[in-house]
């Protein structure tokens, strides 16, 4: 197992309940350097944040541009980088794994929403596909399987539990029930031994997370990510600077 992948794996395990792994989401090389310089041991790109930085709506980034953006981010820092590559862009597992590894990333998010129809994929077929990705990747890639039931309005936790178990059995290194209500976390934690990634929301001007990171950890999260929240907070700050500058110079 290559050193960076081994390091990334290790960061997810052996943690105290109130000390989950916090992975900021860089959207370009400059933000990646800022997070790495602050001391974060690894990073996880958000597809929506990268899309915004490239001028696209979420889900509309051409694969070539997404892979190129991830490569720039991975090249800019020495810490491990995981890449959100949405639903894999319809690429066969062998090509998908090769493309991710070419970027320099050591991990990837793979969601179970169909990118074309925006509907949930059949869980067993998706698990079979994840197993193919796992077989192609071997120990060179950390696979984070996103579970989209809650974000797609399926609030029965039993559906999330089924998918979590199937994806873990398929070889996923981590599962990501995005937007799971914190009260449901203990139930999901009890359903699997693999690490659980939890999404923490970020407001433009308030606290980084609505619920303290340590509390999310105590409820069952091993890893915390922020989706496009950090990029949107930075963009809000830029907008404020722009308004201030325009106000000072209006009438030039």
């Amino acid at each position: 197992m290559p050193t960076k992948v081994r390091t990334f794996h290790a960061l997810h395990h052996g943690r105290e309940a109130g000390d989950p792994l916090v992975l900021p989401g860089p959207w370009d090389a400059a933000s990646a350097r800022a997070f790495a310089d602050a001391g974060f041991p690894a990073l996880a790109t958000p597809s929506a944040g990268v899309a915004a930085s490239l001028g696209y709506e979420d889900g509309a980034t051409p694969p070539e541009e997404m892979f190129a953006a991830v490569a720039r981010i991975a090249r800019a820092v020495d810490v491990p980088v995981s890449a959100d590559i949405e639903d894999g862009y319809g690429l066969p597992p062998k090509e998908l794994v090769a493309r991710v590894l070419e970027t320099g990333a050591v991990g990837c998010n793979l969601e179970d929403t169909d990118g074309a129809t925006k509907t949930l994929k059949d869980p067993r077929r998706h698990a079979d596909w994840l197993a193919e990705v796992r077989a192609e990747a071997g120990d060179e890639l950390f696979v984070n399987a996103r579970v989209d039931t809650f974000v797609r309005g399926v609030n029965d936790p039993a559906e999330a539990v089924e998918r979590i178990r199937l994806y873990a059995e398929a070889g996923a290194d981590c599962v990501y029930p995005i937007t799971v209500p914190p009260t449901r976390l203990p139930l999901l934690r009890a359903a699997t031994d693999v690490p659980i990634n939890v999404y923490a929301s970020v407001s433009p001007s308030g606290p980084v997370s609505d619920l303290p990171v340590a509390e999310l950890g105590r409820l069952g999260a091993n890893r915390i990510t922020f989706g496009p929240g950090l990029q949107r907070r930075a963009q809000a700050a830029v907008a404020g600077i722009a308004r201030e500058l325009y106000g000072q110079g209006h009438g030039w």
Side-chain angles (χ1 to χ4, degrees):
M1 183 184 293
T3 302
K4 275 192 178 180
V5 184
R6 187 184 303 117
T7 298
F8 195 60
H9 270 273
L11 287 169
H12 290 77
H13 296 278
R15 309 189 70 90
E16 296 295 329
D19 181 35
L21 174 63
V22 176
L23 298 179
W27 52 94
D28 60 13
S31 59
R33 287 185 181 131
F35 291 131
D37 288 348
F40 289 98
L43 308 173
T45 71
S47 61
V50 172
S53 76
L54 297 174
Y56 294 103
E57 296 295 323
D58 184 20
T61 309
E64 292 292 336
E65 294 198 43
M66 183 63 75
F67 287 122
V70 171
R72 289 191 293 272
I73 289 168
R75 188 169 60 242
V77 295
D78 292 327
V79 300
V81 172
S82 182
D84 182 348
I85 50 172
E86 302 177 85
D87 72 338
Y89 306 116
L91 297 172
K94 184 174 183 178
E95 182 180 352
L96 178 64
V97 169
R99 296 292 298 275
V100 175
L101 293 176
E102 284 172 2
T103 69
V106 301
C108 64
N109 280 12
L110 292 169
E111 63 192 52
D112 58 2
T113 289
D114 185 291
T117 65
K118 306 302 181 186
T119 58
L120 287 166
K121 296 180 179 181
D122 177 83
R124 294 190 179 277
R125 284 200 294 270
H126 187 63
D128 290 343
W129 180 77
L130 286 173
E132 292 182 54
V133 172
R134 172 84 282 154
E136 291 292 343
D139 61 6
E140 294 188 73
L141 202 60
F142 185 99
V143 177
N144 186 29
R146 205 176 90 174
V147 177
D148 284 6
T149 52
F150 295 107
V151 80
R152 293 294 165 198
V154 181
N155 296 316
D156 183 355
E159 179 71 17
V161 166
E162 179 191 11
R163 289 172 183 261
I164 284 170
R165 287 175 172 162
L166 285 169
Y167 303 165
E169 289 169 4
D173 298 292
C174 186
V175 290
Y176 180 13
I178 189 170
T179 70
V180 57
T183 55
R184 298 295 194 183
L185 262 176
L187 176 63
L188 302 191
R189 175 70 281 161
T192 184
D193 293 328
V194 304
I196 294 178
N197 184 164
V198 169
Y199 167 83
S201 61
V202 179
S203 64
S205 58
V208 169
S209 175
D210 292 338
L211 198 64
V213 164
E215 180 61 20
L216 291 173
R218 284 189 286 270
L219 289 171
N222 305 94
R223 161 174 159 169
I224 306 294
T225 53
F226 304 94
L230 298 174
Q231 182 274 329
R232 290 173 180 170
R233 185 166 181 174
Q235 186 62 37
V238 171
I241 293 169
R243 288 191 296 270
E244 179 184 355
L245 179 62
Y246 184 78
Q248 291 177 354
H250 190 57
W252 288 347

